[in-house]
Amino acid sequence: MWNFFKNFVYAVLLVNMTIGAVHCSWDPYKVLGLKRGASIPEIRRAYKQSAREWHPDKNRNENAESKFVEVNKAYELLSDPVRRKLFDQKGVVDDSLNRNMHNPNNRFGDGASFFSGHGGFRFQFKMSEMTAFHQYRITLRRYENFILPQSQNQPYLILVYSEWCLMCLHVLPIWQRLVEDLNPIGINLATVHFDQEVELANKLGGRRGELPHVVLVMDSRISHYIEDELSNSKVIEFIRSRFSRNLIAFVNDQNINEFIGGWKDNKVRVMLFGKLELVRLRYLTLAFKYRPHTLFGYAQLNLETTRAIVDKFGIPLKLDSLLLFQEDRDRPAARLSMADLPYSTLKDIIETNKYLQLPRLSSQKMLDLLCPPESSNVRRRLCAILVTEDREEDEEAREQLRHFTRQFKFSRDRIVFSYLFREKQTEFLRALLEDGKSPAEATTKVVIVWRQDIQRLSYSWLPQPFVSGADNWNSSVNYLHRTLIKILGSAQPLAHTTSMKELVDEYAQGILGRITARLVTTAEILRDHFTRQELLAVGSVVGTVLFIAAVGYVMTYLVRLEEETIRKTNKGLPKTPRPTTTELKLHELRSETYNGMVRLLKPGCRTVVLLLDNESMDVLIPKFHKAVWPYRKNKSLLFGWMNIDRGLPWYSRLLNLALKIADDDEGTDVTLDSNSVKPKNCVGTVVSLNGHRRYFCIYHARHPECVSDSGAKRMQNMARRLTVSNRVMNDASGAFMGFDSSLEDSDNSDVERGDPLKSQDMEPLITSGLGLHTQQFSTDFALEGLSNWLDRLFEGTTQRYNINYWPDFGNL
């Protein structure tokens, strides 16, 4: 069955091939002036010459236009290996291929029509044409382990193809030309077989049905070729656009000194001179490869702005030239002039001179390149490091060491000279110092280092400092030379061994630089993956948001400007003080406010009232206000004060109701005489009233729960004594309720206690909460324990006095 189908398809393709192929006497070889079997480079050279000769803009012959079209058609046929082979074998021109190639509806051509021609048949069953793709094929492992890291300094152009991709065969000659053009200038090419490396193909953006797919991997970033037409010139332009714009600086007479003299950034300067306005692609790849060590500049010849540079360095006007500068801005370390500078020659020159005469150890990578680890004592590579500071005073010592390297010319394979800044490489330097020494003591000294492996190194300090100046030149140079000759001529290990600390990267990118680089990368990704219409839509949204933000900022600025104008206008006017309102208000408890503060309180709300008189008002109110201030934000609390002279009858009836409830267990009906409550004894009392649940709590300096921890038990005993004993008036326990009492009971006689009737209306019996003493205290001590009592009040641990109803306020 399969053989029948295969033969049927073969017959159909042969018929289509015969229809599409037209026998003709037209010979493309004669048109280009070539012999059969000419190579691709010969065909290309002949085409360029014929196209230049018959171009309608240069040739005024009336047949120039038709001849120019014929030349293009001949080159088009001969550059396509499939059509060329068909013509060589049977002398026919496959017009179907020509029509498919110019079909505007297809990317890289029309695959369906192409399959119906002879090339499609050969592509499906004879794969010899795919050899050009296979020899550059890579795997996922090679891509991740080799190509991706290598792309940090060398671009890779990768094509994703498949054996069943008809258009892959069509772009084969273009790919072969790219290989010939790009490989010699430092751009590597590779291919990925879609069916055999599906994961890698998907990672590179290749999709079945959208092949061939071309990407550029550079600096570990993938850039997709999105043009509809694949051609040599467009691919080169695509690669050129991926390089940074400031990779090569344009130099003229004004900035030449600044460019060459900027070697203090630890980079060699490379000046390129050319006749073209556009920088060659090989120069871009070279600058990209050596960007960690060199900085490139380009100057165009035959311009007024570069004439002084050309005259100063003697640059030939008809040749491309290279000048390489190290520390000496007037004398290049290397120079080269040729009609066409080869990439390999440029690479060899820069590779030989990619470091300064005296490079600075500015990063761990620089140390690894200059002083690589070498475990063998025979082949050890030493590094002589001069320790200096980043200041002009030490530049003379560094220049003296440069002169030393030029004078004696030690082999770089044996010893490398360098320097470092002490204040920037403190940790690395501290590891090389003996105990107790400061890094500042090592300034202008030379240390000889041998890296035995990645972490371990051996070192020796030269005891004599490398002192600059004319007087010290001979002694410093001779001592350094003798010491180095001795060390190099001996296989003995160095004096000390230590674990190395990594050097700080002095040119590490800051957070702003990283953010900028990330934004640039994001912009490039958006450019590769979004169309212009999509970007315009997103841009319009972002622009609208930015416009709204800008309008808001302008409005805010105008308001601020107006406020400043008003402030300046009213600067000379007298300021009227604004009335200050207290956050915590104290309400007076009287007949007008009694219902709102007590009887009509909502469930869960309480009123805390301070009892005072006219004499103690100025002293007690500030203390009370300070004590209750932390509870000002509690919406369930109301704070106030009551003048005891006005509210004494109400307070007496309140105490009477409380005492009756307290003696219900005794079965005694108690009636309290209001005259027993003395106003002076009530001053400083704080009463917490719960209007809804009809109970209150009392704070007083003589209250039992304020005197000791046994307050509850003493309160019960006191309540019983108030109802059954006629000594209540003389008991100190009743002082907190306002009763006129003497001091604490004792075994003293009445003479020692004094006459209680004599002072019952003269002095308040308010004592300290710490205990009862024989001395009397003023109102200054009345509220000392209020804060602690308030804490216990809101914890629910204070003594509660329950009543049946709230008595009326005012005199009866």
Side-chain angles (χ1 to χ4, degrees):
M1 185 66 181
W2 167 248
N3 292 332
F4 172 78
F5 177 75
K6 181 178 178 180
N7 294 331
F8 175 76
V9 172
Y10 179 74
V12 171
L13 291 176
L14 286 178
V15 172
N16 290 336
M17 180 188 68
T18 305
I19 296 175
V22 179
H23 289 269
C24 63
S25 59
W26 176 74
D27 190 353
Y29 290 101
K30 291 183 179 180
V31 174
L32 297 178
L34 296 170
K35 296 180 180 179
R36 291 182 178 270
S39 62
I40 294 295
E42 292 175 348
I43 296 173
R44 190 177 302 142
R45 285 195 296 269
Y47 166 71
K48 290 181 179 179
Q49 182 177 356
S50 300
R52 191 182 302 112
E53 178 184 357
W54 294 103
H55 198 282
D57 294 338
K58 298 181 180 180
N59 195 325
R60 298 301 178 183
N61 193 318
E62 58 181 6
N63 298 326
E65 185 174 355
S66 59
K67 186 67 175 178
F68 182 76
V69 173
E70 191 176 11
V71 168
N72 285 329
K73 188 175 180 181
Y75 174 73
E76 191 177 48
L77 188 147
L78 296 180
S79 61
D80 190 336
V82 177
R83 301 176 63 198
R84 180 183 176 185
K85 186 176 295 186
L86 177 64
F87 181 84
D88 292 341
Q89 291 177 353
K90 300 186 177 182
V92 296
V93 179
D94 192 353
D95 290 335
S96 62
L97 296 181
N98 190 39
R99 289 193 301 270
N100 297 332
M101 186 178 64
H102 296 285
N103 191 339
N105 297 324
N106 297 308
R107 188 172 184 264
F108 308 152
D110 188 351
S113 301
F114 186 82
F115 182 80
S116 64
H118 179 63
F121 168 72
R122 291 182 58 82
F123 173 77
Q124 184 176 3
F125 295 103
K126 295 185 179 181
M127 302 307 300
S128 58
E129 292 86 353
M130 287 300 196
T131 305
F133 288 144
H134 294 336
Q135 62 182 346
Y136 296 102
R137 192 170 61 187
I138 61 173
T139 61
L140 177 62
R141 183 176 180 181
R142 178 173 176 79
Y143 171 80
E144 293 180 344
N145 297 338
F146 180 77
I147 293 180
L148 204 60
Q150 192 71 17
S151 67
Q152 295 288 339
N153 52 31
Q154 192 169 13
Y156 273 83
L157 188 70
I158 303 177
L159 181 139
V160 183
Y161 74 100
S162 174
E163 293 179 351
W164 298 96
C165 166
L166 301 179
M167 292 314 305
C168 296
L169 185 62
H170 181 64
V171 301
L172 179 59
I174 301 176
W175 181 257
Q176 291 175 332
R177 286 199 299 271
L178 288 174
V179 172
E180 295 173 2
D181 294 341
L182 299 181
N183 262 340
I185 62 173
I187 300 177
N188 289 342
L189 289 88
T191 59
V192 175
H193 195 294
F194 182 86
D195 297 321
Q196 297 180 8
E197 295 290 339
V198 178
E199 183 179 354
L200 177 57
N202 292 332
K203 183 177 293 188
L204 297 176
R207 300 292 183 267
R208 188 178 298 276
E210 300 178 3
L211 302 181
H213 183 71
V214 179
V215 297
L216 180 70
V217 181
M218 189 170 68
D219 205 7
S220 299
R221 296 203 306 264
I222 300 174
S223 301
H224 302 269
Y225 182 83
I226 58 175
E227 295 290 336
D228 292 335
E229 180 185 354
L230 183 66
S231 64
N232 190 285
S233 59
K234 287 187 176 295
V235 170
I236 291 177
E237 187 62 31
F238 163 68
I239 297 174
R240 181 185 294 275
S241 66
R242 299 296 97 180
F243 289 99
S244 176
R245 294 184 178 180
N246 57 358
L247 186 61
I248 296 181
F250 286 90
V251 182
N252 51 39
D253 296 339
Q254 284 71 33
N255 60 1
I256 180 63
N257 292 328
E258 179 182 359
F259 175 77
I260 298 178
W263 56 267
K264 290 187 178 180
D265 61 0
N266 214 25
K267 291 184 178 181
V268 174
R269 263 49 183 178
V270 176
M271 272 298 303
L272 297 166
F273 297 86
K275 300 181 288 296
L276 302 177
E277 181 180 359
L278 192 66
V279 180
R280 290 177 177 268
L281 185 59
R282 69 186 65 180
Y283 299 160
L284 292 174
T285 57
L286 199 69
F288 180 75
K289 180 179 181 62
Y290 292 101
R291 57 179 176 167
H293 312 290
T294 61
L295 195 64
F296 281 72
Y298 181 79
Q300 185 180 355
L301 299 173
N302 301 320
L303 292 180
E304 290 293 332
T305 56
T306 59
R307 179 172 296 179
I309 308 175
V310 173
D311 295 341
K312 179 179 179 180
F313 296 106
I315 305 299
L317 296 178
K318 296 183 179 181
L319 302 176
D320 290 350
S321 301
L322 174 143
L323 299 180
L324 189 145
F325 294 89
Q326 294 176 337
E327 287 90 340
D328 193 348
R329 68 173 64 186
D330 297 323
R331 185 176 59 184
R335 65 183 303 156
L336 177 67
S337 296
M338 296 179 65
D340 188 13
L341 294 174
Y343 175 84
S344 58
T345 305
L346 296 174
K347 179 181 174 182
D348 293 339
I349 293 176
I350 298 176
E351 190 69 33
T352 307
N353 303 276
K354 65 179 179 180
Y355 299 114
L356 298 173
Q357 294 176 2
L358 187 67
R360 185 172 80 255
L361 299 179
S362 56
S363 65
Q364 182 63 33
K365 186 176 181 180
M366 180 66 73
L367 178 65
D368 294 338
L369 293 172
L370 293 175
C371 305
E374 178 55 64
S375 59
S376 175
N377 192 19
V378 178
R379 298 191 306 269
R380 65 181 180 180
R381 186 173 183 179
L382 302 180
C383 190
I385 305 173
L386 174 65
V387 180
T388 63
E389 293 186 356
D390 188 8
R391 58 181 183 177
E392 292 296 331
E393 290 81 356
D394 289 352
E395 179 59 33
E396 188 176 356
R398 295 191 288 265
E399 182 59 34
Q400 183 172 322
L401 187 57
R402 292 189 191 97
H403 184 70
F404 176 86
T405 60
R406 291 194 296 266
Q407 179 180 356
F408 293 100
K409 296 185 181 302
F410 286 92
S411 173
R412 275 187 175 256
D413 296 333
R414 297 296 310 279
I415 185 168
V416 175
F417 294 88
S418 61
Y419 72 98
L420 59 79
F421 290 146
R422 177 188 60 82
E423 62 273 18
K424 294 184 179 180
Q425 305 296 344
T426 306
E427 293 297 326
F428 174 79
L429 190 59
R430 186 175 288 114
L432 302 180
L433 293 174
E434 299 177 2
D435 295 339
K437 286 190 176 182
S438 171
E441 300 178 13
T443 304
T444 69
K445 283 190 174 182
V446 178
V447 58
I448 309 300
V449 173
W450 168 36
R451 295 186 62 189
Q452 297 172 327
D453 53 37
I454 297 177
Q455 293 294 334
R456 193 164 53 96
L457 57 81
S458 182
Y459 66 95
S460 292
W461 285 93
L462 272 63
Q464 180 176 338
F466 194 78
V467 183
S468 60
D471 298 335
N472 304 309
W473 165 251
N474 291 330
S475 61
S476 297
V477 168
N478 292 334
Y479 177 77
L480 179 60
H481 183 257
R482 290 196 308 271
T483 306
L484 293 178
I485 292 296
K486 181 179 179 181
I487 294 176
L488 292 174
S490 173
Q492 295 180 357
L494 300 180
H496 307 283
T497 302
T498 185
S499 295
M500 187 188 67
K501 301 291 184 181
E502 286 196 2
L503 275 75
V504 177
D505 190 356
E506 300 177 12
Y507 297 101
Q509 209 172 30
I511 184 172
L512 185 60
R514 292 197 298 268
I515 292 175
T516 304
R518 184 62 59 87
L519 291 176
V520 171
T521 304
T522 304
E524 292 178 353
I525 293 174
L526 292 177
R527 183 180 63 183
D528 292 341
H529 291 82
F530 290 92
T531 62
R532 178 174 296 182
Q533 290 76 13
E534 292 172 337
L535 289 177
L536 288 176
V538 174
S540 63
V541 174
V542 174
T544 303
V545 174
L546 293 177
F547 176 75
I548 295 173
V551 171
Y553 175 79
V554 171
M555 295 297 293
T556 305
Y557 175 76
L558 293 177
V559 171
R560 190 186 308 116
L561 191 63
E562 185 178 0
E563 290 178 352
E564 292 178 356
T565 304
I566 295 174
R567 191 181 299 112
K568 292 179 181 179
T569 305
N570 301 333
K571 188 175 182 181
L573 299 179
K575 297 181 179 180
T576 57
R578 296 181 180 179
T580 57
T581 58
T582 307
E583 293 187 32
L584 179 62
K585 293 183 179 181
L586 300 181
H587 307 276
E588 182 182 1
L589 181 63
R590 52 187 179 181
S591 57
E592 293 83 1
T593 61
Y594 177 66
N595 289 336
M597 295 180 66
V598 180
R599 285 181 170 176
L600 301 180
L601 283 178
K602 295 180 180 180
C605 296
R606 283 180 284 191
T607 299
V608 182
V609 181
L610 169 67
L611 307 186
L612 48 77
D613 58 9
N614 294 330
E615 297 176 359
S616 61
M617 179 179 296
D618 295 337
V619 178
L620 294 181
I621 284 185
K623 293 179 177 293
F624 179 71
H625 189 276
K626 182 179 180 181
V628 300
W629 176 261
Y631 308 98
R632 65 190 183 279
K633 295 183 179 180
N634 194 329
K635 302 299 183 182
S636 64
L637 297 179
L638 191 64
F639 300 97
W641 57 274
M642 185 188 75
N643 194 321
I644 193 61
D645 296 330
R646 180 182 302 174
L648 183 61
W650 171 81
Y651 184 58
S652 300
R653 289 194 295 274
L654 185 66
L655 296 178
N656 196 356
L657 291 174
L659 292 177
K660 286 183 178 181
I661 297 298
D663 280 347
D664 281 346
D665 295 340
E666 301 289 338
T668 306
D669 189 7
V670 179
T671 301
L672 179 66
D673 187 1
S674 61
N675 294 326
S676 302
V677 182
K678 302 303 179 182
K680 283 293 183 181
N681 289 349
C682 298
V683 172
T685 302
V686 178
V687 185
S688 173
L689 308 171
N690 192 317
H692 180 71
R693 299 182 63 181
R694 293 194 294 275
Y695 71 83
F696 64 92
C697 301
I698 296 179
Y699 166 80
H700 192 280
R702 296 286 296 275
H703 195 287
E705 66 181 357
C706 298
V707 174
S708 67
D709 295 336
S710 59
K713 185 177 296 184
R714 296 188 61 191
M715 188 63 224
Q716 296 174 5
N717 296 334
M718 179 277 306
R720 294 188 179 93
R721 290 162 62 190
L722 287 177
T723 58
V724 301
S725 177
N726 59 1
R727 296 180 62 250
V728 66
M729 299 293 295
N730 298 323
D731 198 315
S733 301
F736 78 95
M737 287 190 172
F739 297 128
D740 186 12
S741 62
S742 301
L743 298 177
E744 181 74 352
D745 292 339
S746 66
D747 295 335
N748 296 339
S749 63
D750 294 341
V751 177
E752 292 173 332
R753 272 202 306 191
D755 189 1
L757 298 176
K758 183 177 179 180
S759 60
Q760 66 181 10
D761 291 330
M762 299 299 295
E763 297 291 339
L765 298 178
I766 301 176
T767 63
S768 171
L770 299 176
L772 299 175
H773 305 284
T774 57
Q775 293 182 346
Q776 295 176 348
F777 292 85
S778 65
T779 55
D780 294 338
F781 302 95
L783 300 179
E784 280 190 352
L786 179 59
S787 298
N788 294 333
W789 180 81
L790 288 172
D791 292 339
R792 295 197 303 273
L793 173 67
F794 299 124
E795 291 173 0
T797 60
T798 56
Q799 180 68 34
R800 295 182 180 181
Y801 300 96
N802 294 286
I803 58 176
N804 294 326
Y805 63 93
W806 291 108
D808 295 331
F809 193 89
N811 296 322
L812 296 175

